[in-house]
Amino acid sequence: MLPRLPLAAFLALIPYLSLAATASRAQELKRFDGYQIVRVEVNTQAELAALEQLGVEILNCTPGIGPMDVLVSADQLAAVRGVARIERVLQDDVQGMVDRERAPLAVAAVDPFADFFLSYHPYEGIGGIVWYMNELVTRYPTLASMVNVGTTLEGRTIWGVRITSNAVVTKPAAVYFGCEHAREWITGTVPPYMANYFLENYGVDPQITDLVDHVEFFLIPVFNVDGYIYSWTTDRLWRKNRRNNGGGVLDGVDINRNWGEGWGGPGSSGTMSDPTYRGTAPFSEPETRALRDFFIAHPNVRVQLDVHSYSQLILWPYGYTQALSPDQAVYQDIGSAMKSLIYGVHGVNYNIGPLYTAIYPAAGVSVDWTYAQRGILSYSYEVRDTGFYGFILPADQIIANNEELLPATLHMTNSDWVRSPLRFEFPNGLPSTVTAGADTPIFLRIIAQSESVEPGTASLHYRNDPSGPFVVTPLTPLGGLDYQAVLPATNCTSTPEFYFSVEGSGGTPMTNPRQTPTARYYSTVVVSQFLTFFQQNLDGNPGWTKQGLWLWGHPTGGGGTQAGYRDPTSGHTNSYVYGYNLSGDYPNNMPEYSLTSPRIDCSGRSGVHLTFWRWLGVEQPAYDHAYVRVVSDNGINWTTVWQNETEVADSAWVFQDLDISAVADGQPTVYLRWTMGSSDGGLTYCGWNIDDIGLYSTLCNGMMGDYNGDGRVDQEDFNQLLTCHAGPDVPVGPGCAIFDFDADADVDLRDFAEFQLRFTGP
Ligand SMILES: [Zn+2]
């Protein structure tokens, strides 16, 4: 008689047993003995094409010009060297990685449900991905059900799990899907992880309960089912679907180049053997047709998340053109918050941006179609890591990877674009400060999603005292979708809070920011004046500290031949600027080189902002870097207040206003620094050009002229004015800004005259 194994242990063996059976039916599992993964510098399209012609596998999810990770056999290594420079070897034993990934867990410890995220799983069979979804449905029958999304080329079902409660009937939907590219196994763990998290926390965590009550989730672990199964049975590094293109080799179609928006454009290939082969026509593949039809059949879908690996990126439309989408500001806002949320969990950095500029052009991708054709908020992740393990991410990172994606994914799904029947936009932004004694207009737009605006219901709610009630005033319609709100004038002692409300045509009340499950408001700071206390227009050489090719002088319009635009041919005002290489691009492989200001005294200043005009070209931050930094402790701990989060390619002077108050407020020893570099060996851009640098502070410590804050402008204040009065063009002394009535950064006779007018007696 056989020894009795615990049931769990037996179940855990099954996927591996069934896998072995499938593999022997198909063909032997491809071996990677002697293969390495190397990172090569691809500098031109010709080099990229030459590399592809060698028959080596480019592993980046989106191939292009830049550092490319390439799978090479021992025989191919010399040929690759002949085409492009090998920067480094990422992995020298690919077969070892594949073997380690497949080693089953210690059998006795395995509970195939509870331990699901400790290892990767095949699609089918007990313990597999479909089994796990069915198990969720069995365990949470009132919240979860299986969804048939459609059928693949080889006749398999693309399964998803639908999760929502019956609390509300009409609701928006969210679609998250993984494994559009077969070998990106980590991405197939994301939808089931979210599914389990939602189900486990429903009725426990108010935010999750609210979400599951008000959003219909369709979570699809594996979109490219045939390719995924093939990556288990035959070729671990298979990417595309299983289309036989008729060229003698079954080489598949990249279904993330097969969507209809911008199909056939840059970053997709018409060559059948290429990794980005787009197919014969938009939606030529049954997989893309199935998911397209699923979106059309579910018009309530308002957010989709297409999960890829690897590179650690948050991406949004467009992929097929460098034009920014009309909703770029919304994507950027939500994307920046997602980046911070991911970083906050395990300190892992994700870069963000539109696909075209944050990685490479990629035409025919899912996010472009769902956004442009369905009005869906559409993001794509490239998840862990940045290439060390690449697609073969060790299973012990599955949970950490999903833990850090969770809050960002919730944030995206909770956005107004998804959750509200109407959506508010603020094309000019919301006021972070308001001026004491003056009305503050706010321009806004209300976009109909599932309902339109009930006339006369759009309102502003505000209060100046956080413990008081809100006052409601109607918004002024400006025609079309546009409205104006006015925050009424208030004084320096108040801390205004506000929100907006509107009723939908279906009777749904909604607010912005959304007030459920906890009340949230916008808040703003009252300032009485902006005081510019430092100005450097660079019209004469200020002699700041320079490294490398930083120079003060006349820019010559050079550079920009490889990427981006040229340098300017003059300053923002007058001729002169500080620039990195005034006559061309920054060089390849440079370290960080900085321009540093002399000491600036910010004592007595609050709410300090740095302003300057920039004309900058720098490649995306996977390769090249530009920074603005500030220090207040004698150059010890520099704080980065700005860095390029995407490619920057200015073709005109751009105004910058950076809040440096956290570092500079009240500090007597502040230095500013602009840094160029580091750069890699790829493309170079025109680099930094800066002009018209200023610092301003914000002031709201009572009435102008009332130095001692007793509510009167009297003799005591006059005595202080005499101390502060230093004449024209002498910088305002510490604490003296309250006498700078005309805000020209000095206390002179004009301010003296203004003081006399306001004098309330001794
Ligand atoms: Zn991918």
Side-chain angles (χ1 to χ4, degrees), residues 487-505:
L487 280 175
T490 183
N491 60 38
C492 281
T493 60
S494 67
T495 47
E497 291 181 321
F498 59 98
Y499 66 97
F500 303 92
S501 72
V502 68
E503 203 175 297
S505 50

Side-chain angles (χ1 to χ4, degrees), residues 254-308:
D254 181 354
I255 55 177
N256 203 30
R257 297 295 183 280
N258 190 239
W259 293 74
E261 188 72 11
W263 182 88
S268 73
S269 171
T271 303
M272 294 182 296
S273 58
D274 280 355
T276 56
Y277 177 55
R278 57 188 168 240
T280 52
F283 298 110
S284 60
E285 303 311 294
E287 292 86 359
T288 39
R289 280 201 301 276
L291 195 49
R292 173 197 65 185
D293 295 345
F294 186 83
F295 281 117
I296 292 171
H298 295 84
N300 61 331
V301 176
R302 286 226 283 277
V303 60
Q304 79 107 324
L305 175 64
D306 180 358
V307 189
H308 289 255

Side-chain angles (χ1 to χ4, degrees), residues 597-617:
S597 76
R599 182 179 82 90
I600 299 169
D601 184 359
C602 296
S603 46
R605 308 290 175 186
S606 61
V608 176
H609 282 231
L610 165 65
T611 61
F612 63 98
W613 289 79
R614 126 195 144 190
W615 183 309
L616 171 64

